[in-house]
Amino acid sequence: RLRESEAHLALALQAAQLGTWSFDVQSGELEASEVMCRLFDMPSRLGPAVRWNERVHPEDRARVEASVSQAIGSGSNYDAEYRIVTERGTSWIRARARMLVD
């Protein structure tokens, strides 16, 4: 049942072209789905989050970093809209996160 559920989720994410990601606060490592990597024009294993931050539009970067820090500090959910800049140009995205504590 778990494999079936995972397969359904993967199909839904692919059909909707939604990217997923996880960020380890302690290590600074960011892992992302293929869709997210395509959106951000990044390699499949993103590694340190600083690479991700480089894609955020310079005018939005401080606001996005403050939102992420606030969510991490408070353990609250994260929801932000901002521009990213890739070789293809500038795009708007909406990012949502739910904080999970181990």
Side-chain angles (χ1 to χ4, degrees), residues 12-61:
L13 290 171
Q14 182 182 16
Q17 289 297 294
L18 293 174
T20 60
W21 52 276
S22 66
F23 173 64
D24 186 313
V25 175
Q26 290 181 334
S27 71
E29 291 290 310
L30 180 69
E31 289 191 38
S33 68
E34 290 180 32
V35 171
M36 178 146 167
C37 290
R38 274 196 309 275
L39 289 171
F40 279 77
D41 195 20
M42 300 290 283
S44 59
R45 273 200 102 69
L46 296 182
V50 68
R51 293 185 201 145
W52 165 82
N53 292 348
E54 291 171 359
R55 296 290 193 230
V56 176
H57 192 284
E59 293 177 10
D60 298 343
R61 197 170 291 147

Side-chain angles (χ1 to χ4, degrees), residues 80-92:
E81 289 186 39
Y82 54 90
R83 295 168 287 181
I84 58 171
V85 181
T86 67
E87 290 182 14
R88 296 181 307 271
T90 301
S91 303
W92 280 94

